[in-house]
Amino acid sequence: MPTGQVIKTYNGFYYVLAEGEKLTMESALVSCRLRGRIKRDKGAVVTGDMVRYELLADGTGIIEQCLPRRSMLHRPAVANIDQVIITFAIKEPDVNSLLLNRFLVLAEWSDIPEIVICFNKTDLLSVGNEEIVEPYKEAGYRVVFASAHEKTGIDELKLLLKGKVTAFAGPSGVGKSSLLNAIDKNLSLTTGVISEKIKRGKHTTRAACLLPVSSGGIVVDTPGFS
């Protein structure tokens, strides 16, 4: 029975890359459904999981088993990652310290090997914002300042991504997809704008998906949440 990795999930389908195949933007993926006994267990299979599947005559597959995970970020649900880059905007929307702290607790509880904080939109930085980040530096977290608009901090992020599977996680509208587009223009991810009424972003990423980056490594663009 073949083994592979779930690259993305969407509308009840699980798109699997066969083991031994290199992930590229043109990789052929096997469109799979879950075997009934697995389907009853919510969250039994998520993006990033290694699975065994039965290949059917029409080229689709049925996932029979999810293999043991080496790590698991529980929200958004992504398995087998090496690193999470928790991304917030320094402004528009303003940093919500309580939400950032909850992200950090979630990542620590999930036993993710490496946790990085990225503050995007530093081109909007105003006097007084700097003090927000000091407690996180003092706590030992690596903090990256970036601007997808001005392409600052991008080289530092590229170095962090090399040789790792990295999930970008954070609220909607903070610029996760914009940062990834700045890291690798070939990704061409959809980006959104901030609502002037509620000062929040709209969901542009609908499902977690593993994506190769040209500078090395694999990234996961995840749906934002609050």
Side-chain angles (χ1 to χ4, degrees):
M1 186 176 294
T3 301
Q5 185 172 30
V6 178
I7 303 303
K8 65 178 179 179
T9 64
Y10 190 70
N11 281 350
F13 287 93
Y14 298 76
Y15 297 89
V16 177
L17 179 70
E19 188 174 30
E21 296 290 330
K22 184 178 179 180
L23 179 61
T24 69
M25 299 301 289
E26 293 78 32
S27 291
L29 305 179
V30 180
S31 174
C32 295
R33 293 277 196 175
L34 297 182
R35 181 66 71 191
R37 65 178 183 278
I38 301 178
K39 191 182 297 184
R40 290 191 290 270
D41 185 3
K42 187 177 180 181
V45 179
V46 302
T47 297
D49 271 327
M50 296 298 299
V51 297
R52 296 191 199 281
Y53 61 98
E54 178 188 356
L55 191 61
L56 304 179
D58 62 0
T60 64
I62 301 291
I63 293 176
E64 299 282 355
Q65 181 186 7
C66 181
L67 301 179
R69 297 161 175 160
R70 55 186 172 84
S71 66
M72 174 69 184
L73 182 62
H74 291 274
R75 184 181 177 190
V78 187
N80 299 317
I81 63 173
D82 305 305
Q83 178 175 243
V84 59
I85 296 182
I86 299 174
T87 309
F88 274 69
I90 205 75
K91 196 174 180 63
E92 295 185 13
D94 293 342
V95 178
N96 182 330
S97 296
L98 178 59
L99 186 57
L100 174 52
N101 293 345
R102 287 180 172 178
F103 268 88
L104 289 169
V105 169
L106 183 62
E108 296 282 6
W109 174 65
S110 299
D111 288 329
I112 305 303
E114 296 184 48
I115 302 169
V116 177
I117 302 171
C118 176
F119 289 103
N120 189 27
K121 303 187 183 182
T122 54
D123 51 293
L124 304 177
L125 188 66
S126 59
V127 177
N129 285 115
E130 296 92 335
E131 64 186 25
I132 297 173
V133 307
E134 289 307 316
Y136 302 105
K137 287 184 175 180
E138 292 173 3
Y141 290 106
R142 179 162 185 170
V143 177
V144 177
F145 295 94
S147 168
H149 178 68
E150 295 185 341
K151 303 296 190 290
T152 56
I154 301 303
D155 288 341
E156 184 177 358
L157 288 172
K158 285 181 179 179
L159 287 173
L160 286 172
L161 299 180
K162 281 191 174 180
K164 296 176 183 175
V165 180
T166 303
F168 279 72
S172 300
V174 299
K176 299 186 296 296
S177 296
S178 295
L179 280 175
L180 289 171
N181 285 337
I183 289 167
D184 188 343
K185 64 182 180 181
N186 294 321
L187 297 179
S188 301
L189 301 174
T190 303
T191 59
V193 296
I194 298 296
S195 166
E196 288 298 321
K197 183 177 181 180
I198 62 174
K199 298 299 181 183
R200 291 182 183 175
K202 298 178 180 179
H203 297 285
T204 54
T205 300
R206 300 297 181 184
C209 178
L210 273 63
L211 302 163
V213 289
S214 57
S215 58
I218 294 173
V219 297
V220 191
D221 186 24
T222 64
F225 66 89
S226 61

